[in-house]
Amino acid sequence: MQRRRTGLVAVMSALGVTATLAGCGSSDGSGDVTLELVAADYGDSRANSSQKYWDTVVKGYETTHPGVRVEVTVYPWTDVDRKVAERVAAGRAPDMAQIGAYADYAAKGELYSADQVLSIPVQADFVSQLTEAGQMNRVQYGMPFAASTRLLFFNKKLFADAGLTPPQSWSELAADAAALKVRGVKFPYALPLGPEEAQAETMQWLLSGGDSYTDDVGTYHLDSTENVDTLTWLKNELVGKGLTGPVAPAKLNRADAFAAFARGEVGMLNGHPTLMKAAADKGVRFGMVPMPGVNGRAKATMGVADWMMAFKHNGHREQIGSFLDYVYSETNVLAFSHEYDLLPVTTSASQAMSADTHDKDLAPFLGELPTSQLYPVGKTSWASVSADIKQDIGKAVGPGGSPAGVLGALQRTATIRDSTD
């Protein structure tokens, strides 16, 4: 697969148009102001560090806004959330932060709402699902910055050798996995429920089973009948029949599963856009299809977003708004998406990507975004609940594990965390 992009996302978490009408934060104000932005690094080397992207953006902005300087500090994903939290705790909040979660800061009243800083056209241009995920109590504080969705990847050679077609239902997925096992495939279906990103694999399966972590009003219901049925099926029909490979799901991390796929050892697994380049670089021919559901295509896939937020601490509302309007221009959103194989967070950039033949490899992921569901990131308890899921969910499908028992325990803890946060 030929690709024009050079970036490879170092995703842990797991994403406009230029404003033409003046909104709340569209003027530059008077006098010289220096803005500070702390941002996450999506690159995997100095050559494609996010610092280079931000340097280009800042240079373009400062050229036409001589009264405003912008200083950007980029940290690895392993450090950036902690660095921002330490600065906020010390009373030195940056003007903006581009990190993985916004809810804690919004709940403490430390953030400007999106409509206080962005012009109306820019705020209205966000993809609707991402706007909703950025809201707390129906007010948007989290501005989406990077997004991705998930598809089922399959190894074309392994499937062709076994005479298989991509699965459209759970029963077909299990049958394909069984056929691949007979042919000696190491991981017929790779099920990474290890602590690195178990919450993502779990949510994708819960969605394909017709439910999720929360109900329609945002209340946790991890132990719903549908969710218990989903994990029971995984335990009995995939893990219990030896179709998930030699590494126990509770010990298999996403990065290891992706690496195994790139070595040609995996028949199927859920993946995001980054896996395309990793597999192509190793010469693995792959296909991508929507995640199968119980009796057909799943109604929704999982979406993931990272967030931009604006802190009140330094009082630079107008200058922040001016800069962010520029950041979310179609040109800048597309440049970032192209560099790091991510999906645009704005409708205008999404439409431009859909129309560009050079972006055809991302089209399947882009097509899933309108019906995707995101983590409940608007809940301040989500970070703790997510950590609990990472730690314990793999036990539900292991030998002697109880899906109902594990989900029940997680639900009780989630309820407590939600009531105290």
Side-chain angles (χ1 to χ4, degrees):
M1 177 180 295
Q2 296 296 317
R3 300 181 55 73
R4 77 179 181 189
R5 301 176 182 82
T6 59
L8 177 62
V9 188
V11 176
M12 302 291 291
S13 65
L15 298 318
V17 294
T18 302
T20 56
L21 298 176
C24 292
S26 60
S27 68
D28 293 344
S30 59
D32 291 339
V33 169
T34 298
L35 300 177
E36 284 190 274
L37 166 64
V38 175
D41 194 352
Y42 289 80
D44 62 346
S45 67
R46 290 187 64 182
N48 70 340
S49 168
S50 293
Q51 189 70 57
K52 295 180 66 176
Y53 168 79
W54 284 113
D55 287 347
T56 300
V57 171
V58 168
K59 182 178 180 180
Y61 175 78
E62 290 181 347
T63 298
T64 54
H65 299 78
V68 184
R69 293 186 63 247
V70 184
E71 297 179 352
V72 182
T73 304
V74 172
Y75 293 104
W77 271 109
T78 51
D79 298 328
V80 66
D81 290 276
R82 175 176 55 81
K83 291 288 188 179
V84 172
E86 289 173 350
R87 287 196 53 169
V88 173
R92 298 185 297 104
D95 297 282
M96 296 161 286
Q98 186 273 298
I99 52 178
Y102 65 86
D104 282 349
Y105 301 118
K108 295 175 183 176
E110 295 170 329
L111 302 180
Y112 289 117
S113 61
D115 62 354
Q116 289 178 310
V117 290
L118 297 177
S119 64
I120 293 172
V122 171
Q123 186 180 8
D125 198 30
F126 289 132
V127 175
S128 60
Q129 283 81 356
L130 303 180
T131 293
E132 293 173 5
Q135 294 177 349
M136 174 177 285
N137 298 323
R138 299 187 179 181
V139 177
Q140 183 182 3
Y141 295 96
M143 293 165 275
F145 184 76
S148 69
T149 55
R150 302 298 170 95
L151 292 171
L152 182 73
F153 282 67
F154 64 95
N155 184 307
K156 284 187 173 182
K157 182 180 186 304
L158 296 179
F159 266 62
D161 290 347
L164 303 175
T165 57
Q168 299 183 28
S169 66
W170 285 3
S171 60
E172 291 179 6
L173 186 149
D176 287 350
L180 293 169
K181 181 183 178 182
V182 169
R183 296 185 65 85
V185 175
K186 188 173 183 179
F187 295 90
Y189 178 86
L191 183 66
L193 295 179
E196 178 190 357
E197 204 185 32
Q199 85 287 357
E201 182 73 12
T202 301
M203 183 169 170
Q204 182 63 74
W205 276 100
L206 298 186
L207 288 170
S208 70
D211 210 340
S212 189
Y213 290 130
T214 57
D215 61 20
D216 292 340
V217 296
T219 302
Y220 288 117
H221 67 164
L222 281 75
D223 59 348
S224 70
T225 299
E226 293 85 356
N227 289 345
V228 171
D229 288 347
T230 294
L231 291 192
T232 299
W233 187 88
L234 282 174
K235 174 179 170 61
N236 294 338
E237 302 302 324
L238 288 187
V239 181
K241 293 183 179 180
L243 303 180
T244 54
V247 181
K251 296 183 178 180
L252 182 64
N253 282 323
R254 176 187 56 82
D256 296 328
F258 277 20
F261 187 85
R263 293 194 300 268
E265 299 173 351
V266 176
M268 298 172 280
L269 84 170
N270 284 315
H272 51 63
T274 337
L275 183 56
M276 294 189 296
K277 185 178 187 301
D281 285 349
K282 297 290 186 179
V284 173
R285 293 189 303 112
F286 60 89
M288 301 175 296
V289 295
M291 179 65 182
V294 179
N295 296 310
R297 176 176 174 174
K299 294 181 180 179
T301 189
M302 187 185 73
V304 177
D306 300 321
W307 304 96
M308 177 73 74
M309 60 212 69
F311 285 90
K312 296 177 179 179
H313 182 76
N314 297 315
H316 296 148
R317 181 178 65 85
E318 293 184 349
Q319 293 83 3
I320 291 170
S322 172
F323 178 65
L324 290 181
D325 276 359
Y326 183 79
V327 167
Y328 284 108
S329 69
E330 181 180 313
T331 298
N332 287 328
V333 172
L334 282 172
F336 180 83
S337 300
H338 287 152
E339 179 66 22
Y340 299 109
D341 292 328
L342 290 168
L343 304 182
V345 297
T346 61
T347 300
S348 59
S350 295
Q351 291 172 343
M353 180 175 280
S354 295
D356 190 339
T357 57
H358 291 99
D359 291 319
K360 63 182 180 180
D361 47 358
L362 283 173
F365 295 96
L366 198 61
E368 292 292 299
L369 190 58
T371 59
S372 65
Q373 293 188 25
L374 282 75
Y375 300 130
V377 290
K379 299 173 77 65
T380 57
S381 59
W382 170 242
S384 298
V385 173
S386 175
D388 294 337
I389 293 170
K390 291 179 183 181
Q391 184 67 34
D392 293 335
I393 200 68
K395 302 172 185 175
V397 300
S402 167
V406 171
L407 287 173
L410 287 169
Q411 173 62 31
R412 289 190 292 273
T413 303
T415 300
I416 294 172
R417 293 191 185 283
D418 203 33
S419 65
T420 56
D421 283 339

